[in-house]
Structure formats: C-alpha cells, structure tokens
Amino acid sequence: MSNVKASTGSSPLRDGKASGGVGSWVSNAHPARTAGRVVVAVIAVVLGAMFLHLLVTSPTLHWDVVAHYFTSRQVIDGLIKTIELTIAAMVIGVILGIMLALMRMSPSVVLKMSASAFVWLFRGTPLLVQIIFWYNLSSFIPRLSLGIPFGPSFVSWDVNHIVTPLAAALLALGLNEGAYMSEIVRAGIASVEGGQMEASLVLGMTKGQAMRRIVLPQAVRIIIPPTGNQAIGMLKGTSLVSVISTPELLYSVQIIYAQTFQTIPLLMVACIWYLILTTVLSIGQYYLERHYAKGALRALPLTPLQKVRRWYATHAASAVAEKTGSLR
C-alpha cells in the first residue's frame, strides 16, 4: 500500500493539478515521434542548410552590391511608393468592398445585379490586363465629359491628363481589390446569425444602425484574416505596375540593374524588402486576429514572446527540480 501511495504522489496527473490542473498537464503533452516525421524533419533541415549555403557561397550573389543598394535613395523612394500604393489601394478596396457587399445583400434587384456585374468583371479579368487597360484608357475614351446624359456636355477633360500612370495603378489595384473584398465582407456578414439582425430591429434600430452597431462588429473577426492575406497580396501585387513605369520598388530596382547589369543582387534587394514588409504585415494581422478573438475564445492563444517565456520557465523549473533531486 505504501508503494501505491508513493507512486500516486509522483503521478503526472497530480503534478498537473499542482501546476494548474489537468488541462495544463494535457497542454504540455507532446505527440510521440514517428519515423516518418523524423525523416521529413531531417530532409527539411538538410534542404534548408543547402539553401543557406547557396545564398552565402553563390558567385552571382554579390552581397557587397546588395548592401550598397539596399538603402540607396532610389530603392527607398520605390519602397515608399510601394507602401503608399498598398495603403491607398487597400483603403479603396475595403470601402468599395463594404459597399458592394451591402449592395449584393440588398433586396433591390438593380443594386444586386450591378454589384454582381462589377465583381464578375473585375474578379474575372487578370490584374495585369486591368493595369494596362487603365493606362491606355485614353485610346478608348479620349475625353471625359460632364453634362446631361445622352445630351450636351458642360465641361470635359483630356483623359491623358487625368489618368496618369499613378492614377491608372490606383484604379486597377483599388477596383480589383474591391471585387475581392466584397466577397470577403459578404462572407463575414453572412457568418453572423440572422437572429442578431431581427433582435436589433425588435429593439427599435433601423437596418443601417443594426448593420453598423451589431452585425459588422461581429463580422470583423471573420473578415480580418482574409483581409490580412489580401493586404499581403496587394503589397506584392504592386510590383505589376512596373509595366506602366510607376516608380515602385521593383521598377526602381529594374532601373538600377539596367544600368549596372547586376540583375541578381538587385532582385535580391527587392526580395529582402518585400520579405520585411510582408513580415510586418503578418505580425500586425496576428495581433489583430488575437484582439478580435476575445469574444470567441475562452483563453487567447499565447503570443510568441509568451511561448518563449513559458518554455524558459518550464525548463528552468525542470532543471531546478532535477538539481534538487540529485542533491537529495
């Protein structure tokens, strides 16, 4: 009996209770390692080491050239233009996406069909084609006029002066993003139970008030993850506007390597900057998702820093326990 008591006193279950309950003990459990997982892990490590070795020792990657142009004025100007295009296009896309989503959910057939046609057109054609089309809009519509429909015009403008390369880039990126964002917003709104709208109307709210105060705040949790992915995609998609000579990051790099013939090092400069920006956006998306998950989860997932602290505390406690046991 004494042996049984002794073994029970040192059981993991009791230790788990002492350190926060059965849940904490289960959360610290790790799945058993299998041969397949070990083989895949070894292959991944070997391939990663080979890739790093290639980056360091490749004769075509002149890291001194990369370091020289990484913070050059022309590259930084292109980087700023890329950030500006991303922010402006996402603002246009999000606002337009919300409007289109509400139109598609409207009981009005005209609004619903108009929004559906917009999404069908801009989501169904390649972004690069749209960029080139807006850049060459003056070939299709030489002048823009303001006046009576099918009647006389009061004032007109030359399209070449209005639709500059920057304006064409914003039109293409923003309108294309609006088509995708409308589906994301519509899916987020549809994920909210219909009883929420009915209860809001019973309380005396109008449909607009209920949508703004009740439905949309709940839909944000569903909308944020794909919107973050769209923002990252938009950041990389801005590189397409280099075909119309918009001085963003890729175009700035192309101008430099057209003069120096250092193509690979300059492309590496662009890749590193894109990776930095996407990493920043990914971190922001993670914390936004974590913030809006408060109402849906009992306990928020640990942040990477909290995971490191927990791992350090667990291993430090284990080391102290082992040292104390050895002294006894």
Side-chain angles (χ1 to χ4, degrees):
M1 182 64 71
S2 61
N3 293 335
V4 174
K5 289 181 179 179
S7 61
T8 304
S10 60
S11 66
L13 183 58
R14 184 170 181 178
D15 294 340
K17 290 180 179 179
S19 61
V22 177
S24 62
W25 173 68
V26 173
S27 65
N28 291 328
H30 298 282
R33 294 181 179 177
T34 61
R37 282 177 35 195
V38 172
V39 170
V40 172
V42 170
I43 293 174
V45 171
V46 171
L47 290 177
M50 291 173 62
F51 179 70
L52 290 176
H53 180 266
L54 176 64
L55 289 179
V56 173
T57 61
S58 175
T60 58
L61 277 177
H62 302 287
W63 287 105
D64 55 335
V65 178
V66 174
H68 175 72
Y69 287 105
F70 188 72
T71 56
S72 65
R73 182 56 184 269
Q74 193 168 357
V75 171
I76 296 300
D77 289 343
L79 177 67
I80 294 173
K81 184 63 68 178
T82 293
I83 296 173
E84 292 174 349
L85 281 172
T86 302
I87 294 174
M90 283 305 300
V91 170
I92 295 172
V94 169
I95 294 174
L96 186 59
I98 294 174
M99 294 172 58
L100 290 170
L102 296 177
M103 289 171 63
R104 292 197 67 181
M105 302 179 73
S106 170
S108 172
V109 177
V110 175
L111 292 179
K112 186 178 296 185
M113 293 300 295
S114 300
S116 299
F118 182 96
V119 173
W120 169 77
L121 177 62
F122 286 93
R123 200 176 58 168
T125 53
L127 177 57
L128 182 59
V129 174
Q130 295 177 34
I131 293 172
I132 297 174
F133 174 83
W134 287 111
Y135 181 68
N136 294 281
L137 184 63
S138 60
S139 301
F140 176 52
I141 306 175
R143 298 189 69 84
L144 287 176
S145 301
L146 180 64
I148 300 175
F150 308 105
S153 60
F154 304 126
V155 63
S156 63
W157 301 273
D158 187 354
V159 172
N160 271 326
H161 295 157
I162 298 175
V163 185
T164 61
L166 180 60
L170 282 176
L171 281 170
L173 295 174
L175 296 179
N176 182 267
E177 185 62 30
Y180 285 94
M181 282 302 305
S182 69
E183 294 300 289
I184 293 173
V185 174
R186 188 169 66 90
I189 294 174
S191 68
V192 180
E193 295 181 358
Q196 299 285 329
M197 176 64 76
E198 295 174 1
S200 302
L201 297 177
V202 169
L203 291 174
M205 294 185 183
T206 63
K207 286 188 176 181
Q209 290 174 337
M211 184 63 68
R212 292 193 306 269
R213 300 177 182 179
I214 305 300
V215 178
L216 284 178
Q218 296 183 69
V220 167
R221 184 174 60 87
I222 306 299
I223 293 173
I224 283 179
T227 302
N229 292 335
Q230 288 296 117
I232 293 173
M234 176 60 67
L235 173 68
K236 296 179 292 184
T238 56
S239 62
L240 294 176
V241 303
S242 61
V243 299
I244 58 173
S245 303
T246 303
E248 45 75 54
L249 179 58
L250 179 60
Y251 185 76
S252 301
V253 164
Q254 289 175 332
I255 293 298
I256 296 174
Y257 72 63
Q259 299 171 351
T260 64
F261 302 102
Q262 297 285 353
T263 305
I264 298 301
L266 268 301
L267 288 177
M268 183 59 66
V269 169
C271 289
I272 294 174
W273 273 121
Y274 280 122
L275 286 173
I276 292 173
L277 293 177
T278 53
T279 302
V280 172
L281 288 176
S282 299
I283 293 173
Q285 177 186 348
Y286 170 80
Y287 280 99
L288 272 177
E289 291 180 16
R290 189 173 182 274
H291 173 75
Y292 283 101
K294 290 179 180 178
L297 302 177
R298 292 184 178 180
L300 293 177
L302 298 177
T303 64
L305 183 59
Q306 290 173 337
K307 289 179 181 179
V308 171
R309 289 176 178 174
R310 183 175 180 178
W311 178 87
Y312 177 78
T314 302
H315 285 72
S318 300
V320 171
E322 291 177 0
K323 186 175 181 181
T324 305
S326 63
L327 291 177
R328 289 181 181 177

